[in-house]
Amino acid sequence: MSPMAPNSVSSDYPPHLTPERLEYLISNLKDWSIAHGLAVRPAPSFVSPENDPSGVLANSAPVTLFPSLFPKSCFEEALAIQSTYNELYCAIANDEEWLGSVVQELLDIDDFVAQLWDVHIKIKNEGYVQNLSLGLFRSDYMVHTNPEDPNAGSEVKQVEFNTIASSFGGLSSQVSALHRHLLSIGAYPPETSSLLNDDTLPESKSAVSLAAGLAAAHKAYGPSKSSNPTCVLFVVQDPERNVFDQRHLEYALHSHDKVQVFRLPFGQILKDTELANDRTLLYVPPFAPDTRYEVTTIYFRAGYSPDEYKSEEYWTARYHLERSAAIKCPSILTHLAGCKKVQQVLATPHSPHLSKFLSDESKASRVLKTFAPIYPLDESEAGKEAQKLANNPDSASRYVLKPQREGGGNNVYRKAIPPFLKDLPKSKWPAYILMEMIEPPPLTNTILRNGEIQKGGVICELGVYGVCLWEANGGEGGQNKILENFEAGYLLRTKGDQSEEGGVAAGFGSVDSCCLVDI
């Protein structure tokens, strides 16, 4: 993390801490974090499996000591536009013909996308039995400032839109509460009082809001068809480092709505579930093998990365769940709608596609303003221009190369792009998109990670959660019938300004909250 560049608002924030105040702040932060489940399982590089053979240890999630400064106008716009983004992506997921035309360009060059599409085709041929879909989305943004025009205002630009396993809804609620707690006990020095107060530290109620989305799907499913008690399934990775984030949603769902929740490791799907003749999905808890639960909703927190499908059995398991009568979060088509190729098709300059899904010009205009220029790497006119930009080290330094993947650690940045493409067969280039880098304002903060203090320049990424429950082809003319559509809280992830990636679980970022300022 490098020193922060001078800035009239942020050059003296966060302030210098005396050793005594720093010790007081960190002690309270650590204790509060563990007591409130602001935690993760330790990475193998921090605690080896040999030293934790049962996998029971936990440590504080990487977190900032101070809430990071964030422009109030950008924050408010990002939250206000989320319901429109929900509407946009549920419309895309419901337009199989249009989505299929985008996916077709990837089938020969991206095996993972091809296999996901194949699952859809097989189920389509036999007939879907559930037309309700749930999206727990997250739209990620960075603040963009024009480096060539210091007088230009700040604006939010979208980094990506997540349609599957949109994580940290649980921890984001806790970290905003943590920073408000540290303020309330006087852990922050008095000179921060003009910036840090109840009005500038927005709460994130993402855990409760996302749980409300799951509860809405559970209710919309209707009464049990099998006379068995009903439940919601969380499909999770095994082992799962980010378990506490998921538990916050589970506990909120159970305590507020009295919904029974079970966690099902991806590799146990075929062993612990079965389909009735009408494709009702039944879950058999390993601890109670004589009991059956009817599954109303499947919440995928696994299955978004190719390396999770360790054998053909895992694809059989995904097909098994997708063809069931349970409501999927997300459905296979909603999962595919999150491909970076979809984002590129919408955001390529002069693209006509956005208006297809958002007929309201004012809504479309607001969404369009959040797009950073994105290009394909195919043989189209825009693609050929992008190939020139990507292969020139000077122009490539303004771009990031993205594959059709969720999770951190997959992107290629700036001057690393030309050598990467040189080693990649040209036939594989269209599997990537080229996106113009967003230039955030310089900030500093202090991050506590694995017990170590890291202080210096940082970059912040704002994620806004959204809930959308819809009935595909439920309205006139085959349009979606939207049953629920609301913004569901926020997440701020912060990383050192020398790190390109931002994934917290992937080891790059930290969990943060916003201090809203008028810049």
Side-chain angles (χ1 to χ4, degrees):
M1 296 166 67
S2 62
M4 178 184 68
N7 182 284
S8 59
V9 175
S10 58
S11 58
D12 57 351
Y13 179 86
H16 173 73
L17 299 176
T18 64
E20 293 80 9
R21 185 177 290 277
L22 179 62
E23 181 181 358
Y24 179 68
L25 194 157
I26 292 176
S27 174
N28 277 279
L29 184 153
K30 287 180 177 178
D31 292 346
W32 195 99
S33 296
I34 294 298
H36 291 80
L38 181 52
V40 293
R41 297 290 188 205
S45 59
F46 183 61
V47 176
S48 68
E50 291 78 13
N51 291 327
D52 182 24
S54 300
V56 297
L57 294 182
N59 58 289
S60 300
V63 65
T64 59
L65 269 61
F66 290 82
S68 288
L69 303 183
F70 202 91
K72 182 179 179 181
S73 60
C74 293
F75 178 84
E76 291 176 343
E77 177 63 12
L79 266 63
I81 204 174
Q82 184 60 39
S83 61
T84 299
Y85 262 113
N86 295 344
E87 179 185 338
L88 170 63
Y89 273 84
C90 88
I92 290 171
N94 191 47
D95 194 330
E96 187 218 10
E97 181 179 358
W98 185 89
L99 182 58
S101 69
V102 175
V103 169
Q104 287 296 326
E105 299 181 35
L106 303 172
L107 296 184
D108 293 334
I109 52 179
D110 191 310
D111 291 340
F112 183 57
V113 171
Q115 287 179 290
L116 289 172
W117 185 253
D118 183 60
V119 170
H120 159 64
I121 293 299
K122 286 195 294 186
I123 302 171
K124 178 186 175 182
N125 289 338
E126 65 178 325
Y128 278 95
V129 293
Q130 179 55 262
N131 62 351
L132 289 174
S133 291
L134 176 66
L136 299 189
F137 299 137
R138 197 186 71 221
S139 186
D140 292 337
Y141 305 92
M142 292 174 68
V143 174
H144 178 69
T145 55
N146 187 344
E148 299 177 0
D149 185 1
N151 297 318
S154 300
E155 53 187 354
V156 285
K157 294 293 184 182
Q158 189 183 64
V159 177
E160 63 183 0
F161 192 88
N162 303 276
T163 63
I164 184 170
S166 302
S167 61
F168 291 104
L171 297 193
S172 63
S173 293
Q174 297 303 315
V175 76
S176 73
L178 165 66
H179 286 151
R180 294 172 70 90
H181 170 73
L182 294 173
L183 173 66
S184 72
I185 63 171
Y188 296 134
E191 57 264 35
T192 64
S193 60
S194 62
L195 285 173
L196 303 181
N197 54 67
D198 288 341
D199 294 331
T200 61
L201 302 185
E203 291 184 76
S204 178
K205 298 181 180 180
S206 47
V208 172
S209 298
L210 293 170
L214 290 164
H218 178 75
K219 181 179 179 180
Y221 177 90
S224 173
K225 303 172 181 61
S226 62
S227 300
N228 292 303
T230 57
C231 74
V232 169
L233 274 187
F234 283 27
V235 176
V236 300
Q237 296 177 334
D238 188 18
E240 175 63 78
R241 288 195 62 215
N242 202 22
V243 58
F244 302 103
D245 175 55
Q246 300 161 12
R247 289 289 192 183
H248 284 299
L249 272 65
E250 174 188 339
Y251 299 153
L253 184 57
H254 187 264
S255 63
H256 290 189
D257 299 283
K258 308 305 178 187
V259 175
Q260 178 69 59
V261 176
F262 293 105
R263 295 172 58 81
L264 176 63
F266 197 19
Q268 294 290 110
I269 290 171
L270 296 179
K271 180 179 179 181
D272 294 341
T273 66
E274 57 190 46
L275 286 179
N277 291 335
D278 62 356
R279 286 196 259 168
T280 296
L281 182 65
L282 301 176
Y283 172 68
V284 184
F287 62 85
D290 295 328
T291 306
R292 300 287 188 275
Y293 285 84
E294 182 171 336
V295 181
T296 68
T297 308
I298 303 166
Y299 177 38
F300 284 100
R301 290 298 294 260
Y304 57 84
S305 176
D307 58 16
E308 295 180 79
Y309 295 79
K310 301 172 185 178
S311 67
E312 189 60 33
E313 182 178 297
Y314 284 81
W315 283 108
T316 302
R318 182 67 184 268
Y319 169 68
H320 172 77
L321 294 184
E322 291 290 341
R323 67 190 294 264
S324 77
I327 298 171
K328 270 70 69 176
C329 179
S331 68
I332 199 86
L333 288 178
T334 309
H335 183 175
L336 286 162
C339 286
K340 301 301 183 292
K341 183 67 178 177
V342 170
Q343 185 186 11
Q344 172 259 300
V345 169
L346 295 174
T348 296
H350 313 298
S351 169
H353 296 283
L354 184 62
S355 60
K356 172 180 173 61
F357 299 107
L358 294 176
S359 57
D360 185 320
E361 291 185 8
S362 63
K363 288 184 176 181
S365 177
R366 290 180 76 177
V367 168
L368 186 62
K369 288 180 180 178
T370 68
F371 288 164
I374 305 176
Y375 303 90
L377 277 181
D378 54 22
E379 294 303 312
S380 66
E381 184 176 345
K384 290 178 180 178
E385 179 62 26
Q387 290 180 26
K388 294 178 183 178
L389 294 170
N391 282 291
N392 183 319
D394 292 332
S395 57
S397 65
R398 303 194 304 272
Y399 291 89
V400 54
L401 197 64
K402 294 185 174 185
Q404 316 297 319
R405 297 288 179 269
E406 301 290 349
N410 297 305
N411 299 333
V412 183
Y413 291 86
R414 303 185 189 268
K415 292 187 178 181
I417 296 174
F420 176 82
L421 290 177
K422 184 178 180 181
D423 293 336
L424 184 71
K426 194 171 183 180
S427 61
K428 299 290 186 181
W429 288 10
Y432 291 79
I433 63 167
L434 189 71
M435 180 176 177
E436 189 172 296
M437 291 290 292
I438 302 167
E439 302 295 343
L443 296 170
T444 58
N445 209 330
T446 303
I447 295 172
L448 180 67
R449 177 193 296 280
N450 293 335
E452 296 182 355
I453 292 292
Q454 302 170 346
K455 183 176 182 179
V458 296
I459 296 172
C460 300
E461 187 171 309
L462 176 70
V464 180
Y465 296 100
V467 169
C468 196
L469 176 65
W470 70 95
E471 183 179 352
N473 299 316
E476 294 181 5
Q479 298 299 307
N480 292 333
K481 179 181 179 181
I482 296 180
L483 306 178
E484 299 282 350
N485 181 11
F486 54 89
E487 168 260 309
Y490 81 93
L491 159 73
L492 194 69
R493 287 174 297 170
T494 295
K495 62 187 178 183
D497 61 5
Q498 300 304 302
S499 171
E500 302 283 14
E501 295 287 355
V504 178
F508 304 108
S510 64
V511 195
D512 196 353
S513 74
C514 292
C515 172
L516 302 183
V517 291
D518 292 318
I519 55 174

